[in-house]
Amino acid sequence: MSLIIKNLCARVKDGADILNGINLEIPSGEVHAIMGPNGSGKSTLSKVLCGHPDYEVTGGSVSLDGQDLLAMSVDERSRAGLFLAFQYPVEVPGVTNANFMRAAMQARLPKGEDVDAVSFYKELRGRMKQLGMDTKFTARAVNEGFSGGEKKRNDILQMMMLQPSYAILDETDSGLDVDALRIVSDGVNAMRAPFRSFLVITHYKRLLDYIHPDVVHILSQGKIVKTGGFELVDHIENHGFDFLKTTKE
Amino acid sequence: MDFPQNMSMEAAFALAEAEAKLDAALQESRERFEQAIIPNRLNEDWRFGRPHKYATALAELLQSSLLSHGVATVLHAEEAAVRITAEDDDLRQTEMLMPTIGSDAMLGMHLKRFGQGYALYIEESTTEPIVITYRGGELYTPATFIMVAPGVKAHVIEHHIGSPGSTMFATRNIQVAEGAALKVELTSKGFEHYMCITNIQNMGGKVSHLTAHEDSAWVREETVAEIYTAGADTRLFSANHLGGASVLDQHTKQIHHVGEATSDLLYKNVLDGKATATFAGNIYVAPGAHNTDAYQSNRNMLLSENATTNSLPGLEILADKVRCSHGSASAPLDEEQLFYLCSRGIPQYEAQKLVAQGFLEDVLSRFNKDEQ
């Protein structure tokens, strides 16, 4: 069981090429980190995997547990086990967090079955407590008026509720203070399991100190140019991405 | 004119003057009905309302020999509700004096069929909402009068329910006295043709008025909210989800006769299919109505490329020191919101429905938050 990306190429619709042949395999149970300079294609990769309509796949393939991910609609990808914690979680005015989550859970049930309201709310409140969120957030519109940190926690809450097999965390650490970073990381670590993988996109070592990755990849100009262990994180923290230029030259 | 025996000369003169004024106003109204013509495209207030199709069809029906017929029921009104008859001259006169927004001819035809509906004389605060339901057949022309006494708090819900091919033309007069608070909501559903003219007279109380229309081929709604006393607070809301080829034609006037009062309007629509929504609103601040606060906002969400909106907000301010604003915006569904919801496994159709409901939700929550 794994997420296999082969020679993935993508561009902004009617625009520039951004991904230029990504090759990546994330087996179940592993945590992979992707680092890279601004504009290298990290967020594009996460959005392309989830099927964002602004991007167009121009080549390659993605297999999720043997299924053709790119042939699926956005919602099918989620129900197949893929989750994206957004870099900038979206505000949805008028739709409460509880109704949103309930609709997402309902979508996973067979026709004719309904979400059990009592156990749903019990679980939702329990997860919120775990993330240090006020349970009043259940009645608030999704991310509307939330601080940056609250939005990120809300995304992690959704991940905990939906229990995906493959979770992509796109710069989840940005906008989080030290305490929130620890709480969110604890939440993610609690979900680590042999049947679940994570792809953690970040600029900074501080998140990876909490969520220790098994493999680290460096993305540059839409390609993975280096793969290694945690020593790569240390190297980038100390020397930045300048070594990429040297490598290219 | 007969005066009571113990009436002072001064009071008798005042009464005579008031009666003369009323006679003059009624005469003026009679003349306006005589002069009025069935709306056509040259009538600015019907410019986007397809009068050649809808006004003509409604007028033909109103002028036909078809009897107005429907079933009217009222709940939780106790002693407050009175069934209107054709003999209620005072109420008929009140209807005669109603302002319209380009539909004098239609109101004149409604008056000829006067005598159906309910009048609510609310003199005690209500614990439960009073619910009036009008179920119309081929043609139904009810009238509603809601009069709330000083200091009284009330909640009234009106349901206007049609059936395939049915037409309803309703009028509504709402008077709220000083210190009173009224929440009133109107829903209409399932008509071929539906028209409603509403006049709200706020004498220093608080009125929150909500309309919601669904599943009708054509809806024309005219609402004139008049403010006569300082301290009055009038809020107008509307939330509609339109589909198919339905037409919603909404016209409003917020008339501030005096200053030191507030009016606020928020009308929102979600449009799918080939639906069309027109909003034409005007805020009028009379000379000397200083320190008026008046706002107006029309927002539309388009779920389909074939849906159409026409939004014509307007201001006419003849006083100083006022705070007035108006705005309108029509935009397609936010793709990022849709993607976010779908990315959690919610099918696109369901996600679209959630976003659309969310768009209308703030109208309902603002109305619900308003105290009765």
Side-chain angles (χ1 to χ4, degrees), chain A residues 116-248:
Chain A
D116 178 69
V118 176
S119 54
F120 165 74
Y121 278 102
K122 194 177 166 192
E123 188 185 351
L124 187 63
R125 291 204 182 96
R127 301 283 187 194
M128 292 177 97
K129 208 173 160 190
Q130 198 180 341
L131 287 169
M133 290 174 79
D134 191 329
T135 50
K136 283 180 188 157
F137 278 68
T138 52
R140 282 182 59 180
V142 177
N143 296 327
E144 196 181 32
F146 288 22
S147 70
E150 286 166 345
K151 285 180 182 175
K152 295 295 176 77
R153 281 189 211 212
N154 204 28
D155 259 26
I156 299 302
L157 171 70
Q158 292 161 25
M159 182 177 76
M160 289 174 143
M161 292 296 287
L162 299 176
Q163 297 281 315
S165 314
Y166 298 90
I168 305 167
L169 310 182
D170 188 4
E171 295 194 30
T172 293
D173 49 337
S174 68
L176 289 184
D177 61 33
V178 183
D179 293 330
L181 182 68
R182 185 180 43 77
I183 291 168
V184 164
S185 304
D186 286 349
V188 172
N189 284 331
M191 285 185 70
R192 290 176 82 150
F195 50 83
R196 182 172 294 123
S197 313
F198 289 88
L199 181 60
V200 182
I201 296 170
T202 185
H203 280 288
Y204 305 106
K205 183 173 179 272
R206 59 176 198 163
L207 178 66
L208 302 177
D209 282 335
Y210 285 109
I211 306 170
H212 202 88
D214 300 302
V215 185
V216 178
H217 308 277
I218 309 296
L219 192 68
S220 176
Q221 298 185 335
K223 274 189 168 180
I224 287 176
V225 293
K226 214 166 184 61
T227 295
F230 201 80
E231 72 284 353
L232 266 180
V233 179
D234 286 327
H235 187 82
I236 290 163
E237 187 74 2
N238 295 326
H239 302 98
F241 291 107
D242 277 353
F243 74 98
L244 294 174
K245 290 174 192 163
T246 323
T247 308
K248 255 180 8 186

Side-chain angles (χ1 to χ4, degrees), chain A residues 93-95 144, chain B residues 237-239 266 268 299 356-369:
Chain A
V95 179
E144 196 181 32
Chain B
F237 301 102
S238 187
L266 177 62
K268 277 186 155 187
R299 299 275 183 270
Q357 283 169 354
F359 178 74
L360 298 176
E361 175 55 32
D362 75 321
V363 176
L364 306 177
S365 64
R366 275 180 59 183
F367 176 76
N368 290 331
K369 265 182 206 161

